[in-house]
Amino acid sequence: MVIYFTGTGNSRFLARSLASALEDELVSAPELIKQNRTGSFASEKPWVFVSPTYGWQIPRTFRRFITDSSFTGSDQAYFVMDCGSGTGNAQKGIRELCAAKGFRFMGLAEIKMPENYIAVFSAPDEKTAEKLLRIGEKKALKAAGQIKAGEAFPERKAGVLGSFLSGPVNRGFYRFTIGDRKFRVTGACISCGQCAENCMVNNITIENGRPVWHGGCIHCMACICRCPTEAIEYGKHSVGLRRYYLE
């Protein structure tokens, strides 16, 4: 079973490629999270978890979803993480998660995909994004071949820098960067409500025809990148930046 977490589509793209190649079931964690539900899953095939990289770790919301869900059948767990630059020492935290869930950790595959974190960075142009998608798809298919063969993904060596990024930097990232105070809506808003509908943690409501954020943002970028009129900005940084969303 392939279970994915995504805000702007990169992880769903990879998960679909994996599920197709493995002829396996595809499950959207955000759809369940949106409904305040966990999962009760059963599969004799290996578990394949696909997610973006948040501060050089798997997203805390996804980790919590896995922790709170139940899994029966296979004890093998593969992890695939897309990223803009790297995954640091995310492998260490994933090992700990697998040990707590009774999974046999089968490794972490890192796949670079188009940057989508426009609260801090910039999305690539269409040509560059398309090139990264094609490369990412090939890597996903390679990973699927390893899973089919029952092979563990190669061990990743994080080094001192990777441990620093996935440790102190990750904690600082959640403490000082993650939040919704900088989100604002411009006059381009058409009161469609898509931002509230697309917020997997139900942190946005529509009041007097405008979105209001309530302090529980996880920075998945779904609201800003999926707004049909690009009416949502993140401070001054996002002004004029290309939005990135992959169906």
Side-chain angles (χ1 to χ4, degrees):
M1 184 178 293
V2 181
I3 303 175
Y4 70 88
F5 179 94
T6 194
T8 60
N10 278 339
S11 295
R12 179 174 56 241
F13 175 86
L14 295 177
R16 284 172 175 168
S17 296
L18 285 161
S20 177
L22 295 169
E23 299 181 306
D24 208 348
E25 185 178 353
L26 184 65
V27 175
S28 168
E31 289 184 7
L32 294 172
I33 293 168
K34 178 75 173 175
Q35 301 169 39
N36 295 310
R37 294 171 54 199
T38 54
S40 180
F41 303 112
S43 177
E44 295 305 317
K45 292 185 176 182
W47 304 102
V48 184
F49 298 100
V50 187
S51 82
T53 304
Y54 283 15
W56 296 277
Q57 290 277 15
I58 63 169
R60 290 183 181 180
T61 304
F62 191 39
R63 182 188 180 103
R64 190 159 50 247
F65 175 82
I66 296 171
T67 298
D68 293 343
S69 294
S70 64
F71 302 86
T72 58
S74 175
D75 68 344
Q76 295 183 328
Y78 291 86
F79 284 76
V80 176
M81 293 177 67
D82 59 84
C83 60
S85 58
T87 57
N89 195 23
Q91 183 173 260
K92 180 177 181 293
I94 292 171
R95 279 188 184 278
E96 294 169 353
L97 171 62
C98 286
K101 294 298 294 182
F103 289 142
R104 183 152 47 105
F105 177 56
M106 298 298 288
L108 165 63
E110 174 185 296
I111 301 180
K112 291 184 179 180
M113 292 284 278
E115 181 62 65
N116 56 11
Y117 190 35
I118 64 171
V120 178
F121 304 110
S122 301
D125 58 54
E126 290 187 21
K127 184 176 180 180
T128 302
E130 184 61 28
K131 181 178 179 180
L132 287 169
L133 289 174
R134 298 286 74 82
I135 294 173
E137 185 176 35
K138 288 181 180 179
K139 289 185 176 180
L141 294 177
K142 179 181 177 181
Q146 292 171 306
I147 296 169
K148 275 186 175 181
E151 301 172 0
F153 294 147
E155 182 79 14
R156 305 196 63 80
K157 295 182 179 180
V160 175
L161 177 59
S163 296
F164 178 68
L165 292 172
S166 296
V169 175
N170 175 268
R171 292 190 290 273
F173 169 69
Y174 273 91
R175 181 176 180 183
F176 299 111
T177 304
I178 299 294
D180 53 28
R181 293 186 304 276
K182 291 186 178 181
F183 280 107
R184 60 187 175 86
V185 63
T186 71
C189 177
I190 57 174
S191 304
C192 67
Q194 285 294 307
C195 50
E197 184 176 331
N198 293 325
C199 179
M200 74 174 82
V201 293
N202 300 306
N203 182 56
I204 302 173
T205 57
I206 304 300
E207 300 179 13
N208 298 318
R210 314 282 273 187
V212 176
W213 289 261
H214 294 279
C217 181
I218 62 171
H219 271 208
C220 75
M221 298 290 110
C223 64
I224 188 170
C225 286
R226 297 184 68 178
C227 177
T229 60
E230 298 187 6
I232 297 174
E233 300 287 1
Y234 188 78
K236 294 181 179 179
H237 177 77
S238 65
V239 177
L241 292 185
R242 178 174 179 261
R243 275 38 172 174
Y244 177 85
Y245 179 72
L246 190 63
E247 288 289 354

